[in-house]
Each structure stands twice: as structure tokens, then as C-alpha cells.
Amino acid sequence: MHSTASIVSSPPPPAARTAPEASDVALFVMAAAGVWFVRRALRRRFAKARMSAKD
């Protein structure tokens, strides 16, 4: 019997990356938007608390 390992070729080596994938860019944009949104919400929340504490 012949071994099937000699018939199956190995995959080609990965190509060198020259730029980030679109999913990498999308993930970064979504993370940055999330951080911005949460910071904005917290600034508003604490600004309201400060205003009510002054009254």
C-alpha cells in the first residue's frame, strides 16, 4: 500500500503582510469608538452630579 502522506502536499508558506486586514482596521475603529462613547457618557454623568451637588 502507498502512504497518502507523500501524495498530500504541504500548504505554501504565508505571504508577507504589507498592510493590515480590513477586519483589523474595523476592530480598531470599533474599539476607538467604544472608548470615545463611554468617556463621553461618563463625562456627562459626572457633570450632572457636580451640577446637582452645587445646588
Side-chain angles (χ1 to χ4, degrees), residues 7-20:
I7 297 172
V8 177
S9 63
S10 62
R17 291 180 62 171
T18 57

Side-chain angles (χ1 to χ4, degrees):
M1 269 199 169
H2 293 291
S3 171
T4 58
S6 62
I7 297 172
V8 177
S9 63
S10 62
R17 291 180 62 171
T18 57
E21 295 286 330
S23 61
D24 296 338
V25 174
L27 181 62
F28 177 78
V29 169
M30 292 302 293
V35 168
W36 175 80
F37 181 76
V38 169
R39 289 187 56 157
R40 184 182 75 152
L42 288 174
R43 278 195 302 266
R44 287 183 179 185
R45 179 181 177 183
F46 290 118
K48 282 183 182 178
R50 221 178 261 156
M51 292 300 283
S52 64
K54 286 183 180 179
D55 291 340

